[in-house]
């Protein structure tokens, strides 16, 4: 049976999953987490958590552990995310969860890792 096995990252997997769907070939993703990889796909399967689930877990930790420890009555946060399918998936999960848990998101900052320099 022809099959395509997963990549190591969401940006590559987005292209591979789209092509697998076009070819009606099973694509088994083993590492990439971006949400759109499996969205509305019939031949694509994922064995790991979604990016939005990872974002929700980060906010849950912040809400349950950090906010009480820091005694914040009106917590605010900025989301910093890479400007690709992975960053938008994780950041989207963070933004939705923060809103539902009463953490105000004051900004969402996207960055391009190809343009980052270390100083």
């Amino acid at each position: 049976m022809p099959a395509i096995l997963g990549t190591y990252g969401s940006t590559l997997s987005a292209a591979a999953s789209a092509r697998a769907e076009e070819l009606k070939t099973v694509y088994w993703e083993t590492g990439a987490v971006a949400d759109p990889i499996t969205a509305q796909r019939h031949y694509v399967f994922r064995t790991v958590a979604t990016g939005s689930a990872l974002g929700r877990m980060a906010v849950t930790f912040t809400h349950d552990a950090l906010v009480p420890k820091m005694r914040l009555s009106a917590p605010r946060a900025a989301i910093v995310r890479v400007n690709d399918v992975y960053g938008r998936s994780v950041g989207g999960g963070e933004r939705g969860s923060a809103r539902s848990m009463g953490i105000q998101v004051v900004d969402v900052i996207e960055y391009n890792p190809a343009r980052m320099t270390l100083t």
Side-chain angles (χ1 to χ4, degrees):
M1 176 175 103
I4 302 171
L5 300 181
T7 65
Y8 63 87
S10 295
T11 54
L12 292 173
S13 185
S17 65
R19 185 68 176 139
E21 195 69 21
E22 289 172 8
L23 296 172
K24 296 182 176 14
T25 300
V26 170
Y27 178 77
W28 199 270
E29 179 50 62
T30 58
V33 300
D35 293 12
I37 292 166
T38 55
Q40 300 175 346
R41 307 247 196 253
H42 298 92
Y43 297 89
V44 180
F45 303 91
R46 181 193 332 253
T47 61
V48 295
T50 63
S52 59
L54 296 175
R56 288 189 303 271
M57 286 187 276
V59 173
T60 298
F61 172 77
T62 299
H63 178 267
D64 294 352
L66 300 180
V67 169
K69 184 174 179 87
M70 299 176 81
R71 297 186 177 112
L72 300 174
S73 59
R76 298 179 305 147
I79 296 171
V80 180
R81 66 186 189 197
V82 65
N83 65 348
D84 64 13
V85 66
Y86 167 77
R88 286 186 291 277
S89 293
V90 175
E94 290 170 335
R95 189 171 206 165
S97 286
R99 188 178 303 122
S100 71
M101 293 184 185
I103 300 172
Q104 179 188 5
V105 176
V106 296
D107 201 0
V108 177
I109 302 164
E110 285 195 338
Y111 68 91
N112 179 345
R115 295 187 178 196
M116 298 299 296
T117 58
L118 299 175
T119 57

